[in-house]
Amino acid sequence: MSELSVNGRARIVELPEIREDERGAMAVAVCGEQVPFVVRRSFIIFDVPAGITRGKHAHHRCEQFLICMAGALDLEATDANGTASFQLLGPTQGLYVPTLTWLSIKPAEAGTVVLVLASDDYDKADYIRDWPSFEALIAGGCR
Amino acid sequence: MSELSVNGRARIVELPEIREDERGAMAVAVCGEQVPFVVRRSFIIFDVPAGITRGKHAHHRCEQFLICMAGALDLEATDANGTASFQLLGPTQGLYVPTLTWLSIKPAEAGTVVLVLASDDYDKADYIRDWPSFEALIAGGCR
């Protein structure tokens, strides 16, 4: 977990939108402001067939920040306090996902493109892919 | 300029594409690998009207990495060695833009969405927005 981290649950973060003139719009995600970690890795999820749910895992250490770049995205996040549902509809908001949060994502439109900013390099051992193990972890207060 | 930086000119970087199964695709941009800096700031450019060119500035210190998330993007980069043109057609490639590189971008399709990963926080003084000043800088070998 990065030193910029804050505790808390998965939550929608509004990104400042700048429309200075007729040349279009910009949404901004600054590390230490909207994104509570320094980004070590980015990945983009695309070409997801209709009806498919992805994610379905949690992380011990890696925090994530999801932005829906095109289309729309339904999300469900479960932590020790319960389950919350979210929807991301465009590039002016993100979902911050803390550690020990089981996340599922499902595109709500064809052509949905999702950016994931991550606080850590890829580490297979950081993934919790088994729901009973995750339940046991959060039940044990291992936050 | 970040300690991960490498010298060189603006260049297309292919992003590894992962298609493990029928659940869609993922493109990966790791800091220190495809992206030669740690990301301090991200911004998204969208809703750019047809025919509009954006950018048209260079940076003293900030490096950038552009990914076209939706649509298609034409780019033109000028440094001390001349001008090069590029096109980004989807999320499996990026354009690395070093310091002292004058960049112009122009969406080639309606609905184009562009992610910019940046090595530095926003600093107004870091922008070179005046072409004669930029020409003088690169002519002086101030790279």
Side-chain angles (χ1 to χ4, degrees):
Chain A
M1 213 183 313
S2 111
E3 60 186 30
L4 293 176
S5 297
V6 290
N7 290 318
R9 306 190 66 194
R11 60 182 177 277
I12 295 283
V13 178
E14 299 297 327
L15 304 182
E17 183 178 342
I18 302 167
R19 286 185 189 263
E20 283 175 343
D21 50 34
E22 76 297 338
R23 297 176 308 128
M26 197 178 338
V28 181
V30 177
C31 298
E33 296 183 24
Q34 296 79 27
V35 180
F37 52 83
V38 170
V39 175
R40 296 281 329 167
R41 182 169 53 106
S42 305
F43 53 92
I44 304 131
I45 298 166
F46 60 103
D47 274 0
V48 179
I52 293 289
T53 300
R54 290 188 63 120
K56 296 189 276 187
H57 62 263
H59 290 274
H60 290 286
R61 203 167 71 93
C62 187
E63 298 164 86
Q64 300 190 321
F65 191 93
L66 283 78
I67 303 173
C68 184
M69 293 290 184
L73 189 68
D74 293 321
L75 310 99
E76 199 178 83
T78 302
D79 63 16
N81 296 300
T83 297
S85 296
F86 304 93
Q87 194 171 43
L88 292 173
L89 298 171
T92 59
Q93 50 182 204
L95 185 79
Y96 169 64
V97 184
T99 59
L100 288 186
T101 302
W102 185 275
L103 183 72
S104 297
I105 67 173
K106 187 175 177 178
E109 289 180 17
T112 294
V113 179
V114 183
L115 170 69
V116 183
L117 304 173
S119 67
D120 288 86
D121 290 336
Y122 175 78
D123 175 9
K124 195 176 173 184
D126 187 51
Y127 284 71
I128 307 158
R129 294 195 177 276
D130 171 57
W131 177 259
S133 302
F134 175 70
E135 275 195 312
L137 266 175
I138 57 175
C142 297
R143 187 63 193 241
Chain B
M1 216 183 311
S2 111
E3 60 186 31
L4 292 176
S5 297
V6 289
N7 290 318
R9 306 190 66 193
R11 60 182 176 276
I12 295 284
V13 178
E14 299 296 327
L15 304 182
E17 183 177 343
I18 302 166
R19 285 184 188 264
E20 283 175 342
D21 50 34
E22 75 297 337
R23 296 177 309 128
M26 197 177 342
V28 181
V30 177
C31 298
E33 296 183 24
Q34 295 79 26
V35 180
F37 54 82
V38 170
V39 176
R40 297 279 331 166
R41 181 169 55 104
S42 306
F43 53 93
I44 304 131
I45 299 167
F46 60 102
D47 274 0
V48 179
I52 293 289
T53 300
R54 290 188 64 120
K56 297 189 276 188
H57 62 263
H59 289 274
H60 289 287
R61 203 166 73 92
C62 187
E63 297 164 87
Q64 301 190 321
F65 192 92
L66 283 78
I67 303 173
C68 184
M69 294 291 185
L73 188 68
D74 293 321
L75 310 99
E76 199 177 83
T78 301
D79 62 16
N81 297 300
T83 297
S85 296
F86 304 94
Q87 194 171 42
L88 292 173
L89 297 170
T92 60
Q93 51 181 202
L95 186 79
Y96 168 64
V97 183
T99 59
L100 289 186
T101 302
W102 186 277
L103 184 72
S104 296
I105 65 173
K106 187 176 177 179
E109 288 180 17
T112 294
V113 179
V114 183
L115 169 69
V116 183
L117 304 173
S119 66
D120 288 87
D121 290 337
Y122 175 77
D123 174 9
K124 195 176 172 184
D126 188 50
Y127 284 71
I128 308 159
R129 293 196 178 275
D130 171 56
W131 177 260
S133 303
F134 175 69
E135 275 195 312
L137 266 176
I138 57 175
C142 297
R143 188 63 193 243

